[in-house]
């Protein structure tokens, strides 16, 4: 009886979640960060994305932000992100985005919990603009081993205009910080996407690497 119930549940899950391997992607990014004062900081981030199967280059963005650390654990940043995307054999389409981010770091013994609450506005050409709630929760180790520190993150994206979570991301990775001023990260992400509340979730996987330099 238990076997039958388990099989039924697995079958239901498979019918509501389709894996489209053609949507798998590789993300590569570089970030430059610096402190202007004890409270003010700036950041510049570049990211490119390629299809995993054939290396098709389909997305690029540049993100500039100014941050205000108003307490030991809290930080507020305002960012402008210029995103361009394209479909197969299509032209590049800009999707500029403004976003504000409130972040908090909570120490939990040998772990730390980092929470980010993002409010974003995306200017979509030829369609309605998007207003997004975009939180991210990351759990990692307070002190790594020889500069290595694994982490896990959850990132749902809620479209306020459509009144639904249209994208959900689960990410696992490892940070490598050989010195104070620069670090590397490598990650694997499960990404689920749907177009509306009645559509099925489509599953894809993103793998990526990033480098951060602090000054």
């Amino acid at each position: 009886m238990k076997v039958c119930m388990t099989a039924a549940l697995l079958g239901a899950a498979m019918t509501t979640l389709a894996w489209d391997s053609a949507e798998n992607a590789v993300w590569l990014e570089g970030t430059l960060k610096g402190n202007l004062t004890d409270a003010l900081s700036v950041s510049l981030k570049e990211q490119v994305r390629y299809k995993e199967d054939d290396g098709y280059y389909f997305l690029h963005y540049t993100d500039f932000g100014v941050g205000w650390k108003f307490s030991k654990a809290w930080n507020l940043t305002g960012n402008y992100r210029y995103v361009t995307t394209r479909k197969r054999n299509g032209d590049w389409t800009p999707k500029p985005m403004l976003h504000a981010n409130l972040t908090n770091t909570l120490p939990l013994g040998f772990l730390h919990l980092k929470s980010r609450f993002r409010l974003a506005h995306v200017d979509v050409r030829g369609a309605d603009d998007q207003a997004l709630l975009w939180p991210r929760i990351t759990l990692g180790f307070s002190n790594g081993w020889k500069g290595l520190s694994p982490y896990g993150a959850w990132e749902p994206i809620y479209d306020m205009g459509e009144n639904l979570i249209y994208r959900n991301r689960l990410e696992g990775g490892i940070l490598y910080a050989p010195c104070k001023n620069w670090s590397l990260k490598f990650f694997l992400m499960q990404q689920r996407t749907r177009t509306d509340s009645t559509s099925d979730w489509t599953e894809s996987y993103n793998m990526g690497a990033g480098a951060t330099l602090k000054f």
Side-chain angles (χ1 to χ4, degrees), residues 102-162:
L102 181 65
T103 59
N104 171 260
T105 301
L106 177 65
L108 300 171
F110 65 93
L111 299 173
H112 69 268
L113 182 69
K114 185 174 182 179
S115 304
R116 184 208 68 202
F117 182 80
R118 172 179 291 170
L119 178 62
H121 177 271
V122 184
D123 184 2
V124 183
R125 178 180 294 181
D128 294 335
D129 293 350
Q130 285 183 302
L132 306 175
L133 295 178
W134 193 336
R136 178 181 170 94
I137 298 174
T138 305
L139 184 64
F141 287 88
S142 300
N143 296 304
W145 178 76
K146 294 186 177 181
L148 297 171
S149 180
Y151 71 91
W154 173 47
E155 191 176 28
I157 306 176
Y158 174 74
D159 188 321
M160 290 187 284
E162 297 294 331

Side-chain angles (χ1 to χ4, degrees), residues 1-2 16 21 29 42 49 58 63 66 72 109 122 129 139 152 184 186-187 191 200 211 214:
M1 181 66 176
K2 291 182 178 180
T16 57
S21 61
E29 61 188 40
V42 292
R49 300 181 190 177
F58 70 95
D63 189 294
V66 177
K72 183 178 181 180
V122 184
D129 293 350
L139 184 64
L184 302 172
F186 305 92
F187 64 89
Q191 178 171 281
D200 294 339
K214 299 179 180 179

Side-chain angles (χ1 to χ4, degrees), residues 19 23 36 42 45 49 52 56 58 63 80 88 91 97 99 101 107 118 141 167 174 197 212:
W19 179 38
E23 294 301 314
L36 300 178
V42 292
K45 181 177 180 180
R49 300 181 190 177
E52 182 192 31
Y56 183 74
F58 70 95
D63 189 294
Y80 175 75
R88 297 283 179 177
D91 296 329
M97 179 173 77
H99 57 104
N101 304 272
R118 172 179 291 170
F141 287 88
R167 182 161 290 157
I174 190 164
S197 59
T212 299

Side-chain angles (χ1 to χ4, degrees), residues 10-211:
L10 288 173
M14 292 176 67
T15 59
T16 57
L17 185 64
W19 179 38
D20 186 356
S21 61
E23 294 301 314
N24 292 350
V26 177
W27 297 10
L28 301 174
E29 61 188 40
T31 305
L32 184 65
K33 293 182 177 180
N35 293 323
L36 300 178
T37 67
D38 290 340
L40 294 177
S41 63
V42 292
S43 65
L44 180 65
K45 181 177 180 180
E46 295 276 340
Q47 187 183 95
V48 293
R49 300 181 190 177
Y50 301 86
K51 294 297 183 183
E52 182 192 31
D53 56 353
D54 61 359
Y56 183 74
Y57 175 32
F58 70 95
L59 185 145
H60 169 262
Y61 74 70
T62 300
D63 189 294
F64 176 75
V66 177
W68 173 40
K69 190 176 181 64
F70 59 90
S71 75
K72 183 178 181 180
W74 292 91
N75 190 72
L76 179 65
T77 65
N79 296 65
Y80 175 75
R81 178 176 295 185
Y82 189 75
V83 186
T84 54
T85 64
R86 63 175 177 174
K87 296 182 179 180
R88 297 283 179 177
N89 301 317
D91 296 329
W92 287 97
T93 301
K95 292 183 179 180
M97 179 173 77
L98 291 170
H99 57 104
N101 304 272
L102 181 65
T103 59
N104 171 260
T105 301
L106 177 65
L108 300 171
F110 65 93
L111 299 173
H112 69 268
L113 182 69
K114 185 174 182 179
S115 304
R116 184 208 68 202
F117 182 80
R118 172 179 291 170
L119 178 62
H121 177 271
V122 184
D123 184 2
V124 183
R125 178 180 294 181
D128 294 335
D129 293 350
Q130 285 183 302
L132 306 175
L133 295 178
W134 193 336
R136 178 181 170 94
I137 298 174
T138 305
L139 184 64
F141 287 88
S142 300
N143 296 304
W145 178 76
K146 294 186 177 181
L148 297 171
S149 180
Y151 71 91
W154 173 47
E155 191 176 28
I157 306 176
Y158 174 74
D159 188 321
M160 290 187 284
E162 297 294 331
N163 191 28
L164 83 160
I165 296 176
Y166 79 96
R167 182 161 290 157
N168 191 59
R169 293 169 174 167
L170 291 174
E171 178 183 333
I174 190 164
L175 299 173
Y176 176 55
C179 63
K180 182 179 180 181
N181 293 333
W182 70 280
S183 62
L184 302 172
K185 75 171 181 178
F186 305 92
F187 64 89
L188 178 64
M189 174 193 296
Q190 180 205 49
Q191 178 171 281
R192 299 189 300 156
T193 305
R194 60 178 175 172
T195 55
D196 56 57
S197 59
T198 61
S199 63
D200 294 339
W201 289 96
T202 299
E203 182 182 22
S204 61
Y205 288 86
N206 305 314
M207 65 183 73

